[in-house]
Amino acid sequence: MIQSDRLTRPGQPEPARKTGEDGGPNAPKLERPVAPNPLKDRLKKVDPDQAKKYRQRSGQ
Amino acid sequence: MNPILCGIETEYGLWIEGRGPGEQIEDATEVVRSYPNPCYVGWDYRFESPRADMRGFSVEHLAVDPEDLKYDACKQLPPAHILRADRVLPDGSRFYNDHGHPEIATRECFSVDEAAQCDLDGEQVVLAAVQAYAARTGLNVKAYKNNTDFHGASYGTHESYLVPRSLEFAELFHAVTPMLVARQILTGAGKVGREHGSPCDFQLSQRADFFSEAANVETLFRRPVFNTRDEPHAEPEAWRRLHVISGDANRMQSCTRRKMFLIRLAIQLALIGEAPKWRLADPVRAFESVSKDAKFDFRVELDGNWTTAYEIIESYLSAAERFDLVSSEERPLLDKSRHLLSLLKSDYDTFSRHVDWAAKRNLVEMYREEEGLSWGDASLQAVDLAYADIDPAESLYQALVDSDQVEAASFSPPQFLSRGVVRAAAVSNWSSYLRQVSWRALTFEIDGQLKPVELRPDIAYPATLWEARNVNEFISLLEGVLSP
């Protein structure tokens, strides 16, 4: 079977692409997952007023 | 075997939502009584003498913080036995309330490794008691392994070293005091801000703000750099106990180990008359200036001269090598101390993996930058407190361990078993026969007769004591060791 249409029809011009700094393609823009940082997470849980509330008797 | 028996006592800070210092003695008592795991109740107070001074006299009474007296001004305090909770733990340590603070006094150890491990195990004991108390009362409770409330109250972490009485006070004082001042650069727990003295953003020591004299017997008020309490917990004609009150509560096990190693080194050198001869112009001022030196010069004024904390520590390390005082167990501790002195000058990031104050300082700095805060912001002290929180689910120190930013704890089992391990065996296996327990003696009741056994502090006990099949065999084995 001959598919003449396919062979003869001129193709659509490609849309102009933005290029990266090195002329190559850009990476797709995706939301990067934030790496878990247990230390920062723990810091955010600190009650900033805890030291104000903390009163002790003297010890030895 | 290093014959200088050592141990460590840590008073924990106690915060209970809705409660305050006025109720803290009762609360600390109840927390200790809440401890849910096996232990022995029956401490023997006969041999305690906190008012005796190693300079040869006793004081009428110990000074009390006037602020604390205000809390009790309008109260009728119950008798002492009501306000006292005392537990002997299966590892031979003691868990009790020292006034308003739950306190762990580890068993006596021949090895600083072992003492540091017992101190670490003590955190789990206090945590179990606090959690049981919280579950019973429904209150929010926190326990902190630190030494300050940031409002002018301090509570201690004390070290004990048993030394022959033949070592005179003056020799001990001059040998140990320079190290007490200098060692904080390798062992301090770190503190945001200050409560007394000259201003600073951050300092090395939790305790430096609270010393006012070079030497005295006090521990609650007018505290000294060198404490002269003479309470040996052993035959007083033969022994004295150096009671060090100027150290911090460390979270890093390696810091606990190092601070004890350095003091034992000073004592060993004093015993052979070869301690470095530093004469500090003013130990109190030197302690504070080293603690607050943000430039890390750590200069120390001598009588007519100056030196540095670096040079003081190195002089003890070198002398110990020169006089062949370093055992195979202690060699890594000496090498590490020397390496840290070098890192503190050249590689602060690596240094901060191994020393509490530097790890805490990094953490506070990270928080300060993230939140855009000035050093005067009170929330930085909350970060300091969270470092000291002993609950692993909340502790910032634990978060540093989990993220591999500080070294983890390690442990090797003791080679020589002290009388503390004998106490552990008695409490673990023969508690139904025990009638009283103290640091220096066990009292059993056998067939209606009291049987006291005095435990010598200076010998290594055999592991076979743990294999005794009955209490008579245990006592017989023990007496065989004590009177060969």
Side-chain angles (χ1 to χ4, degrees):
Chain A
M1 181 189 289
I2 298 171
Q3 293 180 320
S4 57
D5 276 353
R6 273 196 174 177
L7 295 171
T8 57
R9 192 176 292 161
Q12 295 288 321
E14 285 193 22
R17 286 183 176 173
K18 288 181 182 173
T19 58
E21 287 177 4
D22 59 356
N26 275 337
K29 292 204 171 181
L30 298 172
E31 283 292 319
R32 285 192 179 180
V34 177
N37 188 328
L39 181 57
K40 287 194 175 175
D41 290 348
R42 188 72 63 87
L43 268 172
K44 286 192 191 307
K45 288 182 185 166
V46 170
D47 174 359
D49 293 326
Q50 180 65 7
K52 288 183 202 160
K53 295 184 282 189
Y54 182 59
R55 298 298 293 263
Q56 296 287 287
R57 298 177 78 101
S58 284
Q60 292 205 50
Chain B
M1 178 178 91
N2 187 323
I4 301 171
L5 206 57
C6 62
I8 188 159
E9 312 150 42
T10 301
E11 293 177 63
Y12 286 75
L14 180 64
W15 180 81
I16 302 176
E17 193 166 19
R19 307 280 286 177
E23 299 105 15
Q24 202 181 327
I25 297 177
E26 294 92 327
D27 290 343
T29 308
E30 283 307 308
V31 165
V32 173
R33 288 181 180 153
S34 300
Y35 181 61
N37 299 326
C39 55
Y40 175 75
V41 181
W43 189 257
D44 180 356
Y45 297 94
R46 278 178 301 157
F47 302 109
E48 312 220 334
S49 55
R51 290 180 289 113
D53 190 303
M54 65 167 75
R55 293 168 292 185
F57 56 87
S58 281
V59 294
E60 284 287 318
H61 55 82
L62 296 170
V64 180
D65 187 336
E67 285 299 312
D68 282 1
L69 288 177
K70 290 180 195 168
Y71 298 132
D72 303 328
C74 302
K75 284 174 72 175
Q76 183 73 39
L77 285 174
H81 72 275
I82 302 291
L83 290 177
R84 188 184 270 166
D86 234 310
R87 305 287 184 266
V88 189
L89 301 168
D91 75 346
S93 300
R94 183 182 170 198
F95 178 38
Y96 57 112
N97 68 300
D98 193 341
H99 302 280
H101 301 272
E103 176 163 342
I104 294 283
T106 70
R107 71 168 179 254
E108 314 88 317
C109 306
F110 286 119
S111 131
V112 294
D113 268 10
E114 182 189 350
Q117 180 62 34
C118 290
D119 179 64
L120 196 60
D121 293 343
E123 293 180 17
Q124 298 310 310
V125 171
V126 176
L127 184 62
V130 160
Q131 289 178 336
Y133 175 86
R136 182 163 61 81
T137 60
L139 296 170
N140 184 12
V141 187
K142 286 181 175 296
Y144 298 110
K145 194 181 185 192
N146 72 345
N147 306 102
T148 178
D149 73 347
F150 301 103
H151 292 89
S154 183
Y155 36 96
T157 300
H158 301 172
E159 301 141 60
S160 291
Y161 305 90
L162 197 67
V163 297
R165 186 156 293 276
S166 56
L167 184 57
E168 297 290 340
F169 160 73
E171 294 170 74
L172 199 53
F173 173 80
H174 287 303
V176 169
T177 303
M179 184 58 90
L180 293 177
V181 169
R183 70 174 178 163
Q184 59 182 307
I185 71 173
L186 301 186
T187 65
K191 178 165 110 174
V192 172
R194 55 99 189 193
E195 288 156 274
H196 300 288
S198 56
C200 67
D201 294 331
F202 186 91
Q203 57 178 310
L204 275 52
S205 161
Q206 290 255 306
R207 292 280 269 180
D209 286 340
F210 301 99
F211 303 123
S212 56
E213 297 186 22
N216 72 29
V217 74
E218 304 292 349
T219 52
L220 282 160
F221 193 59
R222 290 177 41 235
R223 295 183 185 89
V225 172
F226 183 100
N227 185 239
T228 54
R229 181 184 288 184
D230 191 357
E231 190 185 29
H233 297 314
E235 194 55 50
E237 285 75 26
W239 303 102
R240 62 169 92 244
R241 177 175 60 114
L242 173 62
H243 186 232
V244 171
I245 70 164
S246 57
D248 287 348
N250 288 108
R251 298 307 312 277
M252 288 191 200
Q253 183 202 34
S254 62
C255 285
T256 303
R257 193 187 288 143
R258 188 176 311 121
K259 75 182 171 188
M260 302 187 85
F261 160 71
L262 291 170
I263 295 303
R264 279 216 306 197
L265 217 52
I267 297 169
Q268 286 173 272
L269 287 163
L271 284 169
I272 60 168
E274 296 291 349
K277 296 198 172 8
W278 302 105
R279 292 292 180 267
L280 275 52
D282 181 341
V284 175
R285 201 170 61 229
F287 206 112
E288 183 187 354
S289 66
V290 169
S291 182
K292 294 179 178 176
D293 183 358
K295 294 179 179 171
F296 300 172
D297 293 332
F298 305 130
R299 298 182 77 223
V300 175
E301 187 178 5
L302 306 171
D303 284 340
N305 203 351
W306 288 84
T307 186
T308 66
Y310 299 102
E311 288 176 350
I312 290 174
I313 295 173
E314 177 53 43
S315 71
Y316 284 81
L317 303 182
S318 303
E321 287 177 322
R322 196 161 57 251
F323 295 103
D324 201 19
L325 295 179
V326 188
S327 68
S328 57
E329 181 205 51
E330 291 166 329
R331 184 80 235 177
L333 291 166
L334 188 146
D335 292 342
K336 182 75 169 284
S337 299
R338 183 171 278 148
H339 184 53
L340 288 173
L341 287 175
S342 169
L343 286 178
L344 181 50
K345 294 174 181 170
S346 62
D347 183 356
Y348 178 78
D349 284 344
T350 305
F351 178 84
S352 66
R353 285 185 56 80
H354 306 283
V355 179
D356 274 312
W357 70 260
K360 183 187 287 182
R361 186 173 174 272
N362 284 354
L363 193 63
V364 173
E365 189 65 66
M366 180 199 293
Y367 181 83
R368 197 180 72 81
E369 285 179 3
E370 292 251 328
E371 302 292 324
L373 303 171
S374 72
W375 269 105
D377 194 287
S379 66
L380 302 188
Q381 293 175 329
V383 174
D384 190 334
L385 263 184
Y387 184 92
D389 191 330
I390 60 168
D391 183 349
E394 305 283 336
S395 165
L396 286 177
Y397 166 71
Q398 188 61 46
L400 287 174
V401 174
D402 295 343
S403 56
D404 192 32
Q405 295 192 37
V406 296
E407 66 178 306
S410 62
F411 176 62
S412 50
Q415 201 178 345
F416 301 102
L417 307 186
S418 73
R419 69 178 185 182
V421 179
V422 177
R423 188 181 312 110
V427 167
S428 298
N429 297 338
W430 313 114
S431 64
S432 62
Y433 297 93
L434 277 172
R435 292 298 169 265
Q436 284 192 311
V437 173
S438 73
W439 296 114
R440 59 186 280 182
L442 303 170
T443 303
F444 297 90
E445 185 177 340
I446 310 291
D447 299 330
Q449 298 289 312
L450 290 180
K451 175 79 180 167
V453 181
E454 176 105 3
L455 302 173
R456 275 182 59 183
D458 56 337
I459 55 174
Y461 291 81
T464 49
L465 282 167
W466 285 88
E467 294 159 15
R469 289 161 296 181
N470 57 59
V471 70
N472 286 316
E473 187 178 334
F474 179 74
I475 294 171
S476 174
L477 279 168
L478 199 46
E479 288 176 333
V481 176
L482 292 164
S483 307

